[in-house]
Amino acid sequence: MPANDDPINSSAGDFQRLKRALRTLSATNHALLRASNEKTLLNEICRVAVEEAGYIMACVAYKAHDAAKSIPLVAYAGFETGFWEQAAPSWDADSARGRGVAGTAILTGKPAIIRNVLADPNFAPFRELAIERGYRSVIGLPLKVEGDMIGVLCIYAPEPDAFDGDEVGLLGQTAEDLAYGIESLRLRLRNKEAEETIKRLAYFDSLTGLPNRTQLRERLEQGIAEMKQQRRPLALLHVRVSRFREINETLGHLEGDKFLQETASRLAKAAGETGTVARTGEDEFAILLPKRDAEFATRMARKILVTLYEPVELSGLMLDSRAAIGIALFPGHGTDPTALMRRASVALYQAEHSGSGIAVYTGTLDAESARRLALMGDLRHAVESNELLLYCQPKVHISSRRVCGAEALVRWQHPQHGLLNPAAFIKLAENTGQITPLTYWILDAALGQSYAWREAGLAQPLAINLSAHDLRDPRLLDRIGSSFATWGAQPDWIQFELTESTLMEDPVGALVTLARLKDLGVELFIDDFGTGYSSLAYLQKLPVDSIKIDQSFVGKMTAKEDSAVIVRSTIELAHNLGLQVVAEGVENEETWTRLATLGCDVAQGYCISMPIPAEDFKDWVDRSRWHARTC
Ligand code: C2E
Ligand code: CA
Ligand code: CA
């Protein structure tokens, strides 16, 4: 056939080819305007090149950073039939497959053309596959995105010498526009992701993935508005888990985080579809229950306490978690988010101090509760700002009338309220997870004081009270060890007192900790004996040296016969077990004499001395008729 009869291989053909390339370019620009994601854009460009411009096949492939430096296909249109997969082009300059149009375009950053598939030696590896599909010439156009050659747009024509001059220019322009389109889509995607991250940070807690306080407030506002319209109630639960600080301090932040995540997932599970759980503070969560009343909220609170009580495994330890929950309701307790949140938190405070663990808001706080609520905040700073004082109360051996030690009792010199007794803040410290720093303070203060006494020639043991929280503190033993090292202390410098009810909270765990304390060589006392219902069998197992009969029995023993009976039989029981007996709360001479008759070993109480500042103890011993000498 004469060349000029062929519509494509003639000047008319030149025009046709140019038209084909122009169509590709303008359709590409249309596609760019409409594209909302990269994959659709690439498919559309390939479709346009084949269906609208008349090429036989068009495809886009991106270079991979694999060993073969392959260029996998990401989009195509037209007569492909597995060509690319079998051809397996590469962007490896040293491989024969890297010399095709795809590899060359990527490597050089310029359009690569095979004018005649049958003749070009660089096309040898792909020739058979191309002939089978009727490809006669090919152009590979590099795609440069954000300065990097990311891939190639390849276009296949059914005739040889299809790509030259102006057509190459137009197709080059197409590829550049396409690359620009890819770049802006990727940028848009990244911006969207960034926007979502910002939104997530502003509205969600990053550790637990739960909504944060800001989101809770918004949801509460929406919820209140909806419930107002529907004339339905709404419940807000404020939850505080009690052991987070302790875990954070003793096991480290990773374990603390794990504990919070576990707590969050249990709360979410308990709340189910009905509620929104949010993390509102370090160890605080809230649950929003639209359409729910006080009864439902209380039931939900009970369920939560039970699920949180299941032990969590942290650092190989099984730790159970306690929580307290305060409940406030719309509209009964408040009609705006601030009021409702505040009342739920007052109820939480009431729950923590009633001992029940759950409280529904009940109107205004009495003056005493309000004062304690404020104290709770101050207590956090009391240890750091050195507001605690070490007091002690002497103990006297009854038969010899000699001083045989003292009990360490903490006092808090509050900047506004003056000198506070432990009754005002120990329970509070226990309930708000602040007993650990307080115990550590006492430990150091007691050993420092003991050191000073020994310097001054007084060798009396000082007994430190431990709380139930202390028994569960995995760092307690290490802490005692390092305080001992600091002061060069001997085991007979201090003793520990643990109440009977503390031991009975976790009899098995207490036994283990007591054994470890005993291994230090210190003496151990069971405090407030008679109030904790321990069994004789359990008592026999405990590695303790003495028991302290609770002052409620001692104080009444001269007036009430049943108290006297309890004191007498306790002394007998203890002696049978080989334990010493201390009577607390000895307020008068008559009690002293009765105790002496019953064979009680040691007495402590106001008739001997009130608790005094520990630094005055040496003077007291020197002045008093209770002569100092180790029992
Ligand atoms: P406790 O261990 O039973 O301490 C004895 C309490 O009885 C002391 O009260 C003491 O002042 C009081 N007391 C002493 N003699 C008499 C008496 O003859 N009659 C009467 N009615 N009471 C007497 P305090 O110092 O107010 O301590 C109260 C409780 O606070 C202590 O009871 C103890 O459980 C706790 N506590 C005190 N200091 C600490 C501490 O450093 N750590 C811990 N965990 N608890 C402490
Ligand atoms: Ca005590
Ligand atoms: Ca006691």
Side-chain angles (χ1 to χ4, degrees):
M1 180 192 313
N4 55 357
D5 284 352
D6 179 342
I8 296 240
N9 286 322
S10 63
S11 58
D14 284 352
F15 175 67
Q16 286 297 331
R17 286 204 300 270
L18 217 53
K19 226 168 102 186
R20 187 164 67 175
L22 251 176
R23 231 183 263 152
T24 310
L25 177 60
S26 83
T28 298
N29 286 325
H30 269 116
L32 285 179
L33 289 176
R34 289 192 307 269
S36 59
N37 80 57
E38 194 170 323
K39 181 83 179 147
T40 0
L41 173 66
L42 301 181
N43 283 333
E44 180 62 6
I45 299 304
C46 297
R47 189 196 66 76
V48 160
V50 173
E51 286 178 20
E52 294 184 25
Y55 294 110
I56 188 167
M57 200 271 272
C59 66
V60 176
Y62 286 168
K63 73 178 185 192
H65 294 273
D66 54 2
K69 296 192 174 173
S70 61
I71 318 173
L73 202 59
V74 281
Y76 78 91
F79 193 62
E80 203 270 347
T81 59
F83 167 73
W84 200 268
E85 198 182 282
Q86 292 173 56
S90 157
W91 55 286
D92 181 354
D94 300 331
S95 142
R97 293 184 183 278
R99 271 169 240 136
V101 288
T104 311
I106 288 175
L107 289 164
T108 61
K110 295 200 179 92
I113 300 165
I114 302 284
R115 295 190 183 283
N116 191 341
V117 162
L118 302 179
D120 198 316
N122 286 335
F123 207 69
F126 320 111
R127 185 168 295 136
E128 285 308 310
L129 297 166
I131 292 170
E132 279 168 19
R133 289 165 179 81
Y135 309 158
R136 282 298 178 274
S137 50
V138 197
I139 186 166
L141 300 147
L143 297 172
K144 190 174 178 184
V145 172
E146 292 170 334
D148 183 28
M149 225 53 77
I150 64 155
V152 63
L153 165 65
C154 292
I155 297 176
Y156 297 78
E159 74 283 358
D161 296 320
F163 304 102
D164 56 13
D166 293 341
E167 189 172 8
V168 174
L170 285 172
L171 290 176
Q173 184 65 50
T174 305
E176 271 175 34
D177 289 355
L178 174 61
Y180 170 77
I182 295 171
E183 192 167 313
S184 30
L185 281 175
R186 288 187 181 180
L187 189 70
R188 213 190 294 168
L189 188 69
R190 275 206 303 276
N191 285 345
K192 207 166 147 226
E193 277 167 5
E195 230 170 72
E196 272 163 15
T197 308
I198 291 167
K199 205 164 151 196
R200 211 171 40 242
L201 288 177
Y203 281 95
F204 290 89
D205 166 50
S206 56
L207 178 68
T208 59
L210 291 177
N212 61 11
R213 202 180 177 83
T214 314
Q215 193 181 157
L216 174 79
R217 178 173 281 279
E218 279 187 14
R219 294 231 190 162
L220 196 53
E221 198 158 343
Q222 284 164 10
I224 289 174
E226 280 168 27
M227 294 307 105
K228 210 177 230 165
Q229 270 195 340
Q230 298 177 24
R231 295 182 192 286
R232 304 203 55 179
L234 171 150
L236 178 67
L237 275 62
H238 191 171
V239 184
R240 179 155 42 224
V241 284
S242 62
R243 306 193 58 188
F244 169 65
R245 282 193 183 182
E246 198 181 316
I247 290 170
N248 234 3
E249 277 165 12
T250 53
L251 302 180
H253 292 292
L254 277 181
E255 297 300 288
D257 287 354
K258 228 166 100 185
F259 171 74
L260 285 178
Q261 283 163 339
E262 177 62 25
T263 305
S265 90
R266 288 184 190 187
L267 287 176
K269 209 164 144 204
E273 300 288 293
T274 45
T276 302
V277 181
R279 182 166 173 224
T280 53
E282 197 181 37
D283 50 3
E284 289 175 23
F285 297 85
I287 301 171
L288 183 64
L289 298 170
K291 303 182 192 166
R292 300 300 185 175
D293 58 8
E295 199 197 317
F296 183 93
T298 311
R299 249 186 292 132
M300 168 78 75
R302 266 192 231 115
K303 190 167 134 194
I304 289 170
L305 290 191
V306 172
T307 56
L308 292 186
Y309 196 64
E310 274 294 303
V312 184
E313 193 182 338
L314 293 172
S315 297
L317 300 165
M318 296 303 286
L319 297 171
D320 56 8
S321 169
R322 303 283 162 94
I325 303 177
I327 302 169
L329 288 124
F330 163 84
H333 303 141
T335 51
D336 65 82
T338 310
L340 222 50
M341 282 163 86
R342 206 174 46 227
R343 302 224 147 133
S345 104
V346 170
L348 169 62
Y349 169 78
Q350 290 166 335
E352 277 170 340
H353 294 90
S354 65
S356 65
I358 298 172
V360 179
Y361 179 74
T362 54
T364 50
L365 278 181
D366 55 73
E368 175 55 20
S369 301
R371 196 174 88 107
R372 286 165 63 95
L373 187 57
L375 266 189
M376 191 159 71
D378 299 347
L379 191 56
R380 295 192 196 276
H381 310 290
V383 177
E384 293 130 55
S385 33
N386 224 9
E387 290 169 9
L388 299 182
L389 299 173
L390 181 67
Y391 269 53
C392 72
Q393 187 177 33
K395 290 192 278 188
V396 170
H397 197 257
I398 295 178
S399 62
S400 66
R401 296 198 159 230
R402 287 180 201 279
V403 177
C404 59
E407 175 176 5
L409 294 163
V410 69
R411 297 290 182 266
W412 178 8
Q413 185 65 57
H414 190 280
Q416 278 92 44
H417 306 301
L419 192 66
L420 299 178
N421 279 336
F425 61 91
I426 289 286
K427 264 263 149 321
L428 206 61
E430 286 171 347
N431 288 333
T432 55
Q434 294 172 79
I435 198 73
T436 307
L438 190 141
T439 300
Y440 291 175
W441 183 89
I442 286 282
L443 192 62
D444 267 327
L447 286 172
Q449 183 62 67
S450 300
Y451 174 82
W453 285 340
R454 274 157 188 80
E455 287 281 279
L458 179 74
Q460 292 289 347
L462 190 53
I464 295 173
N465 291 286
L466 293 179
S467 289
H469 278 71
D470 296 322
L471 281 195
R472 292 194 299 250
D473 172 4
R475 268 198 347 205
L476 179 70
L477 270 291
D478 284 348
R479 184 59 198 237
I480 295 173
S482 62
S483 285
F484 263 64
T486 305
W487 296 104
Q490 296 301 312
D492 63 354
W493 288 22
I494 55 168
Q495 303 163 333
F496 289 110
E497 296 188 6
L498 299 113
T499 66
E500 190 186 15
S501 46
T502 289
L503 300 177
M504 296 318 288
E505 255 187 48
D506 174 17
V508 179
L511 194 58
V512 175
T513 313
L514 249 56
R516 294 179 65 201
L517 284 171
K518 192 69 212 161
D519 284 343
L520 297 174
V522 295
E523 276 191 40
L524 302 178
F525 291 69
I526 303 180
D527 203 354
D528 299 352
F529 188 82
T531 59
Y533 312 105
S534 58
S535 70
L536 183 60
Y538 182 64
L539 264 185
Q540 276 174 314
K541 279 194 230 152
L542 291 175
V544 295
D545 303 278
S546 305
I547 59 170
K548 296 184 82 173
I549 308 177
D550 190 62
Q551 49 185 281
S552 58
F553 306 115
V554 176
K556 285 183 285 197
M557 66 180 284
T558 51
K560 291 183 77 178
E561 195 43 39
D562 53 350
S563 291
V565 170
I566 291 173
V567 172
R568 195 184 65 224
S569 42
T570 306
I571 294 172
E572 270 171 27
L573 168 76
H575 283 168
N576 287 340
L577 291 173
L579 304 175
Q580 292 248 312
V581 185
V582 183
E584 308 185 283
V586 183
E587 292 185 348
N588 50 51
E589 201 65 34
E590 193 189 348
T591 310
W592 169 280
T593 314
R594 277 291 284 278
L595 287 165
T597 320
L598 295 173
C600 183
D601 304 283
V602 175
Q604 177 183 352
Y606 293 167
C607 90
I608 300 154
S609 167
M610 299 283 287
I612 52 172
E615 67 240 29
D616 297 346
F617 179 59
K618 166 104 181 24
D619 279 352
W620 181 89
V621 173
D622 292 343
R623 273 189 286 105
S624 74
R625 59 201 167 101
W626 316 100
H627 298 295
R629 214 195 71 187
T630 314
C631 313

